[in-house]
Amino acid sequence: MMRRMTQKWLRVASGLALLGTASVAMTPGTAEACGGTFCDGGVPGPMPVDQSGENVIFVIGDTLSEVHIQIQIDPNTNAEQFGWLVPLADVPEFSVGSQPLFDQIRAFSVPTYDITTTFEDCGGGQPSSGGDPTFPNSSGEGSLTAGGTGEDGGEGPTVLKEETVGAFDVVVLQDTEVGPIKQWLLDNGYVWDANAEPILMQYLAEGNVIAAFKLNTNANVADVHPITLRYPSNETCFPLRLTRIAAVEDMDIRVFVLSEDRAAPTNYRHVLVNPLKIDWLTRALNYKDVITQAVDAFEADGRAFVTEYAGPSAGIVTDLIYSPSWDDTSFVGLDPVEVVNTLNTQGLGFCYDSFSCSWGHPQIFPLLVEFLPAPANVEPAEFYADLGSYAAQIDAAKWANGDGFAAALLNRVIEPGMHADELLKTWPYLTRMYTTISPSEMMEDPIFHINPDLADVPNLLTAQNYV
């Protein structure tokens, strides 16, 4: 039987840019070779259909839930111009989220389409079975990229909470009218989007408060990381009404749920992928079109989700999410020349020669830039790969005693990683849902609940081709 949900749910907006030139998307923030998608291994093989789009992870428990929101700012955006609003039913606890958690959950659950070809021998021999010579099975992953992945009040709003969360300054505002909130935002450096006004008024009329985020004065777009919100509830919501301000046609929305059992939409339809519509010979290059047609079909009316994976979460790789070798205290009092060597020892840095380093977590490089910046005349890659050669040019005042770097490492890398690792150990089931939706269809906020009666959904699908 479906569990009846009675507790209030948290409204979480996917993102609102308050400046016309800024764009906010919950797409991966790591600097991967294919822009955050899973790159082709060289020969076509099983095709992961992981498009760009907005990604949210919900954790739904019996009494306590949380949401992880992945944020990426257009790199051309001035950090000072970034602003983002989230309507909430209550005031949650805020913390820094884990980008590697998103990366590993996506990689583990991505829908993958494969084809096995059997050839009949023209000489009358027995049919032979093997990999398609045109599309041989390959362990390399392919990728798809898709385009759209009141009047001012006299008194100010009530400030319910104000704090710094990693790279963000966060404030929670309460009022019955938009005007005071609008004026507070303008007075505090936000750029107002007039299109937000009527939608925000709907949320305020429903009793919601408004959380406002902006990058703090010491941060830039490279410092952006996911945000986590925790709150008492056993059901959760994704308010798309606010998203439509900056949305594009057929925008990708991807929702992940960690819980005890499979999740499903409550007030949106659930549609199935028609395998006869999939272009198997191209490993589902038409996947997004098939999903879009399904959610736009009669009775779904543009408001529906397809389940791309539902099953155990135990296979998610956790090595890159958290490692016990990560130790912030090692950097307190450390000679700055030894910083990269220490990161290498902890698995957070990999320097192969005097000109090349890669980092085991997307926040490492921004933290180095902040606390151990390269001299003005030296490329950062060259500087960090050979700190010893530039010892005389290190900004000792910036590094100080290493306390700032250690505290930031704990706050932005180690603690989020530990929490993400604990979530995967606690919650045995993962559901991945996907939809495409246009601004005109974002008139109702989808709500998600847990239904243990629903069956598993595999993410590896294989077709047989007989030639």
Side-chain angles (χ1 to χ4, degrees):
M1 295 293 295
M2 185 181 298
R3 296 173 182 169
R4 182 172 179 79
M5 305 301 176
T6 57
Q7 298 189 25
K8 65 181 178 181
W9 39 270
L10 181 81
R11 298 180 182 271
V12 181
S14 59
L16 166 62
L18 296 184
L19 181 76
T21 58
S23 66
V24 182
M26 297 179 192
T27 48
T30 52
E32 296 180 288
C34 293
T37 58
F38 302 99
C39 307
D40 194 332
V43 273
M47 177 65 77
V49 288
D50 202 357
Q51 296 93 346
S52 60
E54 302 199 355
N55 301 297
V56 177
I57 299 172
F58 291 115
V59 182
I60 304 179
D62 290 334
T63 60
L64 185 68
S65 297
E66 61 185 56
V67 57
H68 299 244
I69 307 173
Q70 191 176 34
I71 307 166
Q72 181 180 353
I73 306 175
D74 187 324
N76 297 318
T77 300
N78 188 324
E80 296 178 355
Q81 298 173 327
F82 168 73
W84 179 50
L85 302 183
V86 181
L88 308 168
D90 208 340
V91 182
E93 297 178 12
F94 298 98
S95 63
V96 176
S98 169
Q99 177 62 43
L101 176 64
F102 279 90
D103 296 339
Q104 297 307 314
I105 283 183
R106 290 183 65 195
F108 171 76
S109 61
V110 56
T112 304
Y113 286 81
D114 194 12
I115 185 169
T116 299
T117 301
T118 299
F119 296 91
E120 182 176 356
D121 189 342
C122 295
Q126 293 297 319
S128 61
S129 179
D132 187 337
T134 306
F135 298 101
N137 285 332
S138 168
S139 59
E141 290 183 301
S143 67
L144 292 182
T145 55
T149 196
E151 296 298 324
D152 295 344
E155 304 243 345
T158 301
V159 178
L160 301 176
K161 193 169 193 176
E162 192 168 9
E163 62 180 317
T164 297
V165 182
F168 295 98
D169 290 330
V170 184
V171 62
V172 180
L173 306 173
Q174 183 181 50
D175 209 290
T176 58
E177 298 292 333
V178 174
I181 292 177
K182 169 186 174 181
Q183 192 59 49
W184 190 97
L185 293 170
L186 290 171
D187 292 343
N188 286 272
Y190 287 80
V191 180
W192 182 256
D193 187 328
N195 294 320
E197 195 158 329
I199 302 175
L200 284 177
M201 192 61 234
Q202 293 177 9
Y203 285 109
L204 295 178
E206 294 166 2
N208 290 275
V209 297
I210 303 298
F213 297 78
K214 69 175 180 178
L215 287 169
N216 58 49
T217 54
N218 297 321
N220 56 56
V221 293
D223 296 303
V224 171
H225 52 72
I227 289 286
T228 298
L229 301 84
R230 299 184 186 90
Y231 50 93
S233 178
N234 62 357
E235 191 175 56
T236 193
C237 172
F238 192 130
L240 288 174
R241 286 178 287 172
L242 191 56
T243 305
R244 72 175 183 261
I245 295 173
V248 296
E249 293 295 313
D250 295 326
M251 186 174 72
D252 302 281
I253 301 289
R254 194 174 294 105
V255 175
F256 303 87
V257 179
L258 286 168
S259 192
E260 291 283 353
D261 296 292
R262 181 176 162 183
T266 301
N267 58 338
Y268 270 47
R269 296 284 187 176
H270 185 268
V271 298
L272 302 177
V273 179
N274 184 348
L276 299 181
K277 296 290 186 179
I278 294 292
D279 187 349
W280 291 89
L281 293 178
T282 62
R283 299 315 203 273
L285 280 174
N286 67 336
Y287 180 80
K288 180 175 179 177
D289 292 337
V290 173
I291 301 301
T292 300
Q293 292 174 27
V295 301
D296 288 343
F298 176 66
E299 291 191 352
D301 300 324
R303 291 186 289 276
F305 283 85
V306 60
T307 297
E308 296 183 313
Y309 174 78
S313 61
I316 298 173
V317 177
T318 60
D319 292 352
L320 298 178
I321 295 175
Y322 172 71
S323 170
S325 64
W326 299 354
D327 179 16
D328 57 296
T329 63
S330 299
F331 297 91
V332 177
L334 183 68
D335 185 334
V337 171
E338 296 299 322
V339 170
V340 171
N341 288 336
T342 305
L343 289 171
N344 291 349
T345 300
Q346 297 186 11
L348 288 169
F350 308 94
C351 295
Y352 305 102
D353 51 48
S354 60
F355 299 99
S356 176
C357 287
S358 60
W359 310 108
H361 190 285
Q363 283 294 306
I364 296 299
F365 182 73
L367 291 180
L368 287 172
V369 170
E370 180 178 352
F371 295 99
L372 191 63
N377 60 336
V378 180
E379 287 295 323
E382 184 177 345
F383 176 67
Y384 296 124
D386 192 13
L387 284 175
S389 298
Y390 299 98
Q393 296 177 265
I394 289 176
D395 189 338
K398 275 278 189 180
W399 178 252
N401 193 45
D403 292 335
F405 181 86
L409 182 70
L410 179 65
N411 177 252
R412 298 194 201 177
V413 176
I414 298 177
E415 290 181 337
M418 290 177 65
H419 180 63
D421 184 60
E422 185 61 30
L423 289 177
L424 294 176
K425 292 176 180 175
T426 302
W427 302 106
Y429 204 92
L430 172 68
T431 307
R432 171 181 174 137
M433 291 169 283
Y434 169 68
T435 191
T436 66
I437 191 165
S438 299
S440 62
E441 298 162 341
M442 298 178 179
M443 307 306 292
E444 184 178 9
D445 299 337
I447 305 170
F448 302 94
H449 67 276
I450 303 302
N451 185 348
D453 297 331
L454 296 177
D456 292 353
V457 177
N459 63 320
L460 175 60
L461 302 103
T462 303
Q464 302 294 325
N465 182 32
Y466 182 77
V467 180

